[in-house]
Amino acid sequence: MEILDFILHIDKYLAILIENYGTFVYLLLFFIIFSETGFVITPFLPGDSLLFVLGSFSAVNLLDIKILYPLLLSAAILGNIVNFFIGYYFGEKILRNGKLIKQEYIKETEKFFQKHGGKAVIISRFLPIFRTFVPFVAGIGKMDTHQFMLYNFIGGFSWITFFLLLGYFTGNIPFIKDNITHFIYAIIVLSFLPMVVKVFKK
């Protein structure tokens, strides 16, 4: 429940962390984005909403966008690379131990990857759960490394740029600034909407 509270009220927690830890917060943020994209056991970490809030905090000078942007871009790209090679070299062994990750996540991701091919690496950046599992499945499937690196860069660049700058350029708008918690809820709902629609169709 604590992680859920953190995700739903991430703006309040971040404000406290920035006040208490100053520049060390940048290392924490790097670790969160890196982990969410780099390890198949951490799909629950915040992604889209976190980037939006970080952008809005940068707009009011609580964080420095010039530090934040390249840092998070590096975290997103490196995280996927680590996840890919974990799947490439250890994926089959990990899957044999069903206690580590939910098998239904893997099955759904495999279908998604087969349907969209290499583009899935880009598309999945904007879909919670999938963005954690697609690079892992790509590794298991021994996707061409050079192709993966290209799609990974495009996807990571698009994801970080869109949500971070969305928050940055709207963070000073009074209505958004005063209702940022509601915007966090909206981003979370919209992020999961494609999966909800798919489940409903089934």
Side-chain angles (χ1 to χ4, degrees):
M1 293 300 293
E2 290 183 4
I3 186 66
L4 179 61
D5 189 59
F6 175 75
I7 292 170
L8 294 178
H9 303 96
I10 197 166
D11 54 319
K12 297 175 182 177
Y13 282 99
L14 274 175
I16 295 171
L17 289 170
I18 292 170
E19 183 179 349
N20 291 335
Y21 298 102
T23 55
F24 286 105
V25 168
Y26 289 106
L27 293 176
L28 175 63
L29 295 173
F30 178 92
F31 179 74
I32 290 175
I33 295 298
F34 177 85
S35 299
E36 201 238 358
T37 59
F39 305 118
V40 291
I41 58 173
T42 53
F44 54 83
L45 290 173
D48 305 340
S49 58
L50 173 62
L51 294 175
F52 176 80
V53 171
L54 292 176
S56 66
F57 275 31
S58 299
V60 294
N61 297 317
L62 288 174
L63 293 167
D64 189 342
I65 191 72
K66 294 191 293 293
I67 297 174
L68 199 61
Y69 181 79
L71 187 75
L72 298 186
L73 180 59
S74 300
I77 292 173
L78 290 173
N80 257 23
I81 290 173
V82 169
N83 205 349
F84 174 79
F85 282 112
I86 290 175
Y88 198 95
Y89 292 109
F90 308 108
E92 293 181 3
K93 293 180 181 178
I94 293 173
L95 290 181
R96 281 198 288 268
N97 186 347
K99 296 178 182 179
L100 287 175
I101 53 178
K102 292 185 177 181
Q103 296 300 307
E104 58 263 34
Y105 288 165
I106 293 294
K107 290 178 181 178
E108 287 298 317
T109 306
E110 286 175 342
K111 292 178 185 177
F112 180 75
F113 192 77
Q114 289 168 3
K115 181 178 180 180
H116 298 286
K119 291 182 292 184
V121 178
I122 299 174
I123 299 169
S124 65
R125 285 288 190 175
F126 297 86
L127 299 171
I129 308 297
F130 282 105
R131 69 169 153 260
T132 304
F133 286 97
V134 162
F136 181 72
V137 169
I140 294 174
K142 301 295 187 289
M143 180 180 180
D144 179 78
T145 303
H146 293 94
Q147 270 199 329
F148 174 81
M149 294 299 178
L150 174 62
Y151 288 123
N152 176 37
F153 177 81
I154 295 172
F157 174 81
S158 303
W159 182 51
I160 295 294
T161 301
F162 178 78
F163 281 105
L164 196 62
L165 295 188
L166 178 65
Y168 183 75
F169 288 114
T170 62
N172 269 323
I173 298 174
F175 177 74
I176 294 178
K177 188 176 178 181
D178 296 338
N179 296 278
I180 193 165
T181 301
H182 295 93
F183 279 93
I184 292 172
Y185 294 163
I187 289 171
I188 293 172
V189 170
L190 289 173
S191 297
F192 279 97
L193 189 60
M195 284 181 280
V196 173
V197 171
K198 186 174 182 180
V199 170
F200 180 76
K201 284 181 177 180
K202 284 185 177 181

